[in-house]
Amino acid sequence: MGYDIERFVGYVNEGLLCSICRGVLEDPLQAPCEHAFCSACIHGWLVHHSNCPEDRQTVDVSSLRPLYRYMKNDLNRLQLHCKNKESGCQMVCSLESIDRHEKECEYSLIPCFNIGCTVQVERRNLDGHLAVCEYRSHECPNGCGYFILSAEDIQHNCVAELKTELELLRTEMICRVEEAKHEMESRLDSQRRHMVQKESVLLNQIEELKSQMSRLMSDVCSLMAAERQHRQELEQAELEKRELMELLRGLKKDCRLTTTGASKKSTNFRPLTRVESVKRKPREVTVI
C-alpha cells in the first residue's frame, strides 16, 4: 500500500501515484508500459491477473523494473508529515528520510520492556511507565541479589532461590566442562592424526633424501675415480712430453755438429789444375 496522499505537503504529481491503491508510490516498480505501482500492490494484482491495470497490456513479474531515476528523485523530494502527527509530532521531512525519523520519533508507540506487560506507550513516556509498571522487577531487599517482580514478593524465598540458582550454575558448569572436554579430545585426536600423517610424510622425505644422497655419493666417487685417471694420464703425457723434448734437443745438437764438420771440409778444399785433373783421371780399361 502506498502513502496516504493527505500526509503530503503541496501538490503531488499524478505520475507518482499508484494506479491500484491511488496512494503515493511506496517501494515503486514500473511495468514495460511505463505505468508505476507500489511493489506490494502490483505483486498482489499479478497473483490473479496477467496484465496492466491501466492499459491491459501483458505484464508478468519478470518484466517489472525499478522506477526511472528522475521519477525516483522527484518521489524522494516530496515533503510529508510524520505518521504520529495526530499524537503531537510536528515533523515534516522528505519521503527519503521519513522512515529514519519515524523509527526514532518520540511519539511512536513502543511496547514495555518488562516480561508479561502488554502495554504500548509513546517513546517519550517509556521511562515514566517503567517506573510504575506492575511487571517491573527489582533486586531482593534481603541481599540475595535476585531480581523479583512485585507480584512475586510474597512467594520469594531467598534460600530456595539461591539453591535453585546454584544448581543451575552447577549444571551449566558441568555441561561446559563436558563440552570443553569433548572439544579438547576432538582437537587432540585431530592433532594426533595430523602428527601421524606428518611423520609419515617426513619419513618418506628422509628415505628419498637418503636415496638421493647415496646416488650423489656414488656420482662423487665416480667423478673422483675419473679425476685420478685423468691426472695419471696428464702425468704420463707430461713425462712423454719431457722425453720428446730431450730427444728433440739431442737431434738439434747432432744436426749442429754435422753442419759444423761439413763447413770445415769445404774450407780445406782447393781446385785442381788441368794437369792434376788429367793425372788423377782414372784410366779406362776396355774389356773385350
Side-chain angles (χ1 to χ4, degrees):
M1 291 292 293
Y3 297 96
D4 185 359
I5 194 171
E6 297 297 330
R7 292 177 56 188
F8 288 81
V9 178
Y11 173 73
V12 178
N13 192 305
E14 181 71 18
L16 300 179
L17 301 180
C18 175
S19 301
I20 299 175
C21 68
R22 302 307 299 170
V24 178
L25 294 169
E26 180 179 6
D27 191 15
L29 291 173
Q30 195 169 26
C33 56
E34 298 187 357
H35 290 114
F37 314 94
C38 300
S39 177
C41 294
I42 189 61
H43 280 96
W45 173 271
L46 293 177
V47 171
H48 304 287
H49 306 82
S50 60
N51 52 24
C52 174
E54 284 285 332
D55 55 17
R56 304 303 175 184
Q57 293 188 29
T58 301
V59 176
D60 56 27
V61 175
S62 63
S63 64
L64 298 175
R65 296 290 181 270
L67 202 64
Y68 288 136
R69 184 186 298 274
Y70 74 91
M71 294 180 65
K72 185 69 174 178
N73 292 339
D74 291 343
L75 186 65
N76 289 334
R77 283 194 291 265
L78 292 177
Q79 301 291 310
L80 73 162
H81 293 280
C82 174
K83 66 179 180 180
N84 301 313
K85 178 183 178 181
E86 294 181 358
S87 300
C89 182
Q90 300 299 317
M91 176 62 69
V92 175
C93 57
S94 66
L95 182 60
E96 186 177 19
S97 58
I98 191 65
D99 289 339
R100 183 169 59 253
H101 162 73
E102 291 177 349
K103 288 179 181 178
E104 303 172 353
C105 181
E106 292 295 321
Y107 294 87
S108 295
L109 292 177
I110 58 175
C112 175
F113 298 155
N114 293 325
I115 299 175
C117 182
T118 59
V119 175
Q120 288 191 337
V121 297
E122 293 179 358
R123 190 186 304 275
R124 61 195 179 101
N125 298 327
L126 179 62
D127 292 339
H129 169 75
L130 292 176
V132 299
C133 179
E134 61 177 333
Y135 291 92
R136 71 187 185 280
S137 61
H138 61 277
E139 190 173 357
C140 176
N142 297 325
C144 69
Y146 192 78
F147 284 85
I148 58 176
L149 299 176
S150 298
E152 297 177 352
D153 287 349
I154 300 176
Q155 301 177 357
H156 176 64
N157 185 326
C158 293
V159 176
E161 294 292 349
L162 288 174
K163 285 184 177 180
T164 303
E165 187 71 18
L166 183 61
E167 187 64 27
L168 289 174
L169 288 174
R170 180 174 175 275
T171 304
E172 183 180 359
M173 183 62 65
I174 291 174
C175 292
R176 288 185 177 180
V177 170
E178 289 296 327
E179 290 178 358
K181 180 181 177 181
H182 290 318
E183 183 179 358
M184 186 63 67
E185 290 177 351
S186 176
R187 288 184 178 180
L188 287 174
D189 289 339
S190 177
Q191 290 180 357
R192 190 178 298 111
R193 289 192 298 270
H194 177 71
M195 292 298 293
V196 170
Q197 182 179 5
K198 191 70 174 177
E199 181 183 8
S200 176
V201 173
L202 288 175
L203 289 175
N204 292 334
Q205 291 178 349
I206 290 172
E207 291 299 325
E208 180 65 22
L209 288 174
K210 286 182 178 179
S211 177
Q212 293 179 2
M213 183 63 70
S214 176
R215 292 195 297 269
L216 182 61
M217 291 300 296
S218 177
D219 293 341
V220 169
C221 291
S222 299
L223 288 174
M224 291 178 65
E227 179 66 20
R228 284 195 298 272
Q229 183 178 358
H230 183 61
R231 189 179 298 111
Q232 292 174 358
E233 291 176 354
L234 287 177
E235 291 175 354
Q236 183 66 26
E238 186 67 25
L239 181 60
E240 293 177 356
K241 177 182 176 182
R242 286 197 296 271
E243 292 176 354
L244 289 174
M245 291 298 293
E246 290 293 333
L247 180 60
L248 183 59
R249 283 195 292 271
L251 290 175
K252 286 183 177 180
K253 184 176 181 180
D254 293 343
C255 288
R256 283 197 296 271
L257 292 175
T258 303
T259 305
T260 304
S263 299
K264 288 181 178 180
K265 289 181 179 180
S266 63
T267 302
N268 296 327
F269 177 79
R270 61 182 182 82
L272 298 176
T273 60
R274 182 176 180 82
V275 175
E276 291 176 347
S277 177
V278 171
K279 289 180 178 180
R280 291 187 178 185
K281 184 176 180 181
R283 294 181 180 180
E284 295 179 358
V285 179
T286 303
V287 181
I288 302 174

